[in-house]
Amino acid sequence: MSAAPDDPVYRNPVLDADWSDPDVIRVGDDFYLTASSFGRVPGLPLLHSRDLVNWTLVGHALHRLEPESEFAVPRHDCGVWAPSLRHHDGRFWIFWGDPDQGIFQVNAPEIRGPWTRPHLVKAGKGLIDPCPLWDDETGEAYLVHAWAKSRSGVKNRLTGHRMHPHGTELLDEGKVIVDGDRIPGWFTLEGPKLHKHGGWFWILAPAGGVETGWQGAFRSRAFFGPYEEKVVLEQKDTDVNGPHQGGWVRTASGEDWFLHFQQRGAYGRVVHLQPMEWDPDGWPVIGDDGAPVAEHRRPDLPPQRPAAPATDDDFPGGRPGRQWQWTANPRDGWATHHSADGLRLTCVRTPDAHDLRALPHVLTQRLPGTPCTVEVDLRLDDGEPGARAGLAVLGDAYSWIGLERGTDGAVRLVHRFAETAAERERDAAPPRPAPGGRARLRVDIGAGARCRFSYDTGDGGGDGAGEGFRPSGQVFAATPWRWVGALLGLAALAPTGQGHAGTATFTQFRIRIQEKRADR
């Protein structure tokens, strides 16, 4: 949540949406953050801040997922897991684990690129959450990673490697340097972040699962151990469940801060900022004596104007803003660039027209973590029967509202949904006339991510004043994917057939945040 420049206090979360598994660095006076992007493209978001509280999205480091054939279709919970961001030898580096492929790396001279193509550092199943370290004192380089049991049969342990200083290969087979099974009460140890500080090798790593876990710190005089451990952040009597997995950063003046996530169901993993100090025995103390803070004195940094990652979009020239991601590697022809405002999407023919979850050409952005109203104008242009387009709230279950052209050539307002286990969507409300093939679509998202859909087709009868919004269907409770929060989506599609099915144009996409925050 952004903070006014004259407010001495900031309030958590500082990023109130699904910026999962954050990692952060400082370069000069600038702070940069990246996060998991899973199967969405572009991936590896890049955020910038000068005060650790107000953040803007400045780009992405990954423009296509590889191998490209694996991500030609949606793989919502696969792809980029828990990246680590570092700055070394004048370059930015990001390492991440693809649980089905192995450990990848990209690098660039500037945060905005150009970024290299993904390089596979180590192939293997279940290799996740890698983090490199270049030891400036010795010239050695290291890498630590965790394991995904779903792919490898192994979890709750961290494996360390020597790494070539150029960051493209590992120099040994690896050794388990922390075994969570040997620590009483610890389970699901993962997400390690590797540092060198005060003559110690430090691994900051969470355990206990994303909804109920804690943040641990491990230290050793030698990279390969042995390590001693301590819990340094846990829920205690706060309402911040599972506070863990994030990044430690030090300001130019020497203040230490820790950014971590909190799992909030359909909202995904929102990001909190915690103060960090060191106790007399040299261990980090995060938050308020190990408990997460809801608000705190701002970092001792120059005040900045309130800022947050963009959400609204007029789609100038037909191009979506940085906040949008496709659900798979994009193909030519899905969107048309032109000289005016508005997103012009092709109604792509597909055998999966009955299930938005299976479509690669859905354009998505994160669901805000606070009550809001989402609106967009839609025009269904000339096309074939069955062509349709609309605004969706997308997860393991989904609901969407939009326009569809019937066999008689007329355009109708439709509202459909699919339950988690359903193979096909169903009508959430009867179809209604949409004169002129236009509508303004709205979703009011309240506490608990409960969504009320409505529409205005401009034909009167809405509020007694001629035109206005009319509710459609029952309230829909947004659901997450397994690891990803629910998404807002724009889609245009058509059933299989011959020839061009037409286009749909979206304009004036807006999100209005309500003051009262969800689930608080």
Side-chain angles (χ1 to χ4, degrees):
M1 171 172 282
S2 60
D6 58 350
D7 189 344
V9 171
Y10 74 88
R11 294 161 185 84
N12 278 315
V14 293
L15 284 167
D16 202 357
D18 187 21
W19 301 95
S20 178
D21 313 319
D23 195 21
V24 62
I25 60 171
R26 178 180 64 86
V27 181
D29 294 329
D30 298 287
F31 299 92
Y32 299 104
L33 181 148
T34 193
S36 296
S37 50
F38 298 97
R40 304 192 302 279
V41 182
L44 290 174
L46 303 168
L47 288 82
H48 171 256
S49 177
R50 285 287 185 95
D51 64 0
L52 291 171
V53 174
N54 295 283
W55 293 88
T56 57
L57 178 64
V58 297
H60 292 82
L62 185 62
H63 298 293
R64 298 186 73 82
L65 286 160
E66 295 188 7
E68 291 202 18
S69 60
E70 295 286 335
F71 293 95
V73 296
R75 303 180 67 207
H76 297 287
D77 293 306
C78 301
V80 176
W81 283 21
S84 292
L85 174 62
R86 293 292 181 265
H87 189 260
H88 167 71
D89 197 24
R91 298 186 71 85
F92 292 87
W93 302 77
I94 302 179
F95 286 69
W96 75 93
D98 179 320
D100 300 301
Q101 306 292 334
I103 295 170
F104 286 91
Q105 169 259 103
V106 292
N107 61 85
E110 304 290 342
I111 195 68
R112 290 172 175 82
W115 289 85
T116 60
R117 284 189 60 176
H119 173 78
L120 186 60
V121 178
K122 182 181 180 181
K125 295 280 189 178
L127 308 178
I128 60 170
D129 309 350
C131 185
L133 171 69
W134 287 269
D135 188 339
D136 294 332
E137 296 177 3
T138 65
E140 299 285 335
Y142 305 95
L143 183 136
V144 63
H145 69 82
W147 294 86
K149 186 176 182 179
S150 59
R151 272 69 164 190
S152 65
V154 176
K155 73 167 189 174
N156 205 33
R157 63 189 62 170
L158 306 179
T159 295
H161 294 265
R162 293 189 182 276
M163 182 177 73
H164 195 290
H166 57 40
T168 58
E169 62 179 312
L170 304 179
L171 302 179
D172 56 33
E173 294 301 313
K175 174 186 175 182
V176 175
I177 56 177
V178 180
D179 186 347
D181 290 345
R182 295 179 176 272
I183 307 174
W186 285 59
F187 60 96
T188 317
L189 176 64
E190 57 188 351
K193 295 293 182 279
L194 181 60
H195 301 272
K196 186 80 177 288
H197 171 66
W200 296 89
F201 286 90
W202 289 92
I203 300 175
L204 301 180
V210 297
E211 294 184 352
T212 59
W214 58 90
Q215 177 68 36
F218 300 82
R219 69 181 183 185
S220 173
R221 293 295 185 183
F223 171 70
F224 286 103
Y227 283 85
E228 52 184 329
E229 82 284 340
K230 186 175 183 179
V231 175
V232 293
L233 181 69
E234 56 186 327
Q235 181 172 356
K236 295 191 177 180
D237 60 354
T238 75
D239 63 353
V240 181
N241 58 294
H244 68 305
Q245 189 152 333
W248 161 37
V249 67
R250 172 167 286 181
T251 69
S253 65
E255 285 187 346
D256 293 304
W257 296 87
F258 186 74
L259 285 145
H260 68 91
F261 76 71
Q262 175 196 11
Q263 172 68 35
R264 291 188 57 220
Y267 301 113
R269 301 174 183 181
V270 304
V271 178
H272 293 238
L273 176 67
Q274 303 293 338
M276 178 170 154
E277 297 180 342
W278 300 85
D279 71 14
D281 294 324
W283 288 95
V285 179
I286 299 177
D288 180 8
D289 194 25
V293 299
E295 58 181 45
H296 192 268
R297 172 189 60 81
R298 291 168 60 111
D300 183 18
L301 293 165
Q304 304 294 315
R305 293 180 179 178
T311 56
D312 295 354
D313 206 346
D314 289 319
F315 309 104
R319 293 171 172 82
R322 295 188 182 101
Q323 66 268 34
W324 298 97
Q325 297 170 292
W326 299 101
T327 48
N329 281 330
R331 304 173 201 167
D332 291 340
W334 286 357
T336 303
H337 296 166
H338 52 87
S339 59
D341 288 351
L343 178 69
R344 189 177 299 161
L345 295 182
T346 300
C347 295
V348 177
R349 291 194 180 276
T350 172
D352 296 312
H354 56 277
D355 190 347
L356 294 187
R357 295 165 295 197
L359 303 185
H361 53 276
V362 181
L363 197 59
T364 67
Q365 67 166 281
R366 293 162 179 80
L367 185 75
T370 190
C372 64
T373 297
V374 183
E375 290 186 7
V376 68
D377 282 335
L378 171 62
R379 183 183 74 240
L380 191 62
D381 301 317
D382 291 340
E384 296 296 312
R388 68 202 71 161
L391 169 66
V393 178
L394 193 64
D396 273 343
Y398 73 85
S399 186
W400 71 278
I401 191 168
L403 300 173
E404 181 176 36
R405 188 175 299 278
T407 55
D408 59 357
V411 177
R412 294 175 177 83
L413 190 291
V414 295
H415 181 191
R416 297 189 175 124
F417 76 102
E419 300 166 85
T420 299
E423 296 180 358
R424 305 181 66 88
E425 63 186 26
R426 296 191 288 138
D427 284 335
R432 300 172 175 89
R438 296 172 178 266
R440 184 143 183 92
L441 310 173
R442 175 188 286 178
V443 186
D444 291 295
I445 305 173
R450 295 176 63 81
C451 305
R452 170 67 76 179
F453 289 78
S454 58
Y455 66 96
D456 180 3
T457 54
D459 60 341
D463 58 3
E467 298 181 359
F469 281 93
R470 282 164 278 183
S472 180
Q474 301 299 314
V475 171
F476 170 76
T479 63
W481 312 92
R482 184 176 183 186
W483 305 124
V484 181
L487 300 166
L488 299 172
L490 303 177
L493 59 145
T496 53
Q498 299 298 316
H500 185 61
T503 60
T505 301
F506 295 87
T507 55
Q508 295 185 328
F509 183 92
R510 299 288 184 269
I511 297 180
R512 300 196 306 274
I513 300 296
Q514 301 173 21
E515 290 187 5
K516 185 177 180 180
R517 295 168 61 189
D519 303 337
R520 298 288 176 184

